[in-house]
Amino acid sequence: MKIATWNIERPTKTTSRIKQIIDSLQKVDPDILILTESNEAVLLGEAYNYFHTDILLELFYKEGERRTSIYSMYPLIKQE
């Protein structure tokens, strides 16, 4: 099992870095991935299930930013 973590440092939905980030992650091909300072625009395809932290409403954050995103090739179950 391959587990990876990466602080992607708050990319925006329109930045060209999103494509570079996704390309790098696809090369690593982790089973479980934890991204910090993430953005919901990081889409890794249908192979991954994912959870994001709640949408950040403070003025400090830009649209789509999330504190943490977890991606998994295994099923994820959210417990309330």
Side-chain angles (χ1 to χ4, degrees):
M1 175 181 293
K2 190 185 294 186
I3 300 172
T5 65
W6 188 7
N7 180 334
I8 58 175
E9 299 177 7
R10 302 180 64 206
T12 62
K13 287 185 176 189
T14 58
T15 185
S16 62
R17 281 188 49 227
I18 291 284
K19 181 176 177 359
Q20 295 169 336
I21 290 167
I22 292 170
D23 289 345
S24 296
L25 293 171
Q26 288 174 335
K27 286 178 188 173
V28 173
D29 192 30
D31 297 306
I32 297 173
L33 171 65
I34 297 111
L35 299 178
T36 55
E37 295 187 23
S38 183
N39 192 304
E40 61 190 22
V42 177
L43 302 172
L44 299 179
E46 294 182 15
Y48 285 94
N49 300 291
Y50 60 88
F51 284 130
H52 301 290
T53 53
D54 291 337
I55 294 173
L56 304 168
L57 300 177
E58 298 119 28
L59 296 176
F60 180 73
Y61 295 99
K62 297 176 182 78
E63 182 182 351
E65 285 189 330
R66 305 297 183 109
R67 287 189 176 103
T68 305
S69 299
I70 300 172
Y71 298 84
S72 174
M73 289 200 172
Y74 304 98
L76 296 171
I77 300 170
K78 187 174 184 175
Q79 294 185 346
E80 302 295 322

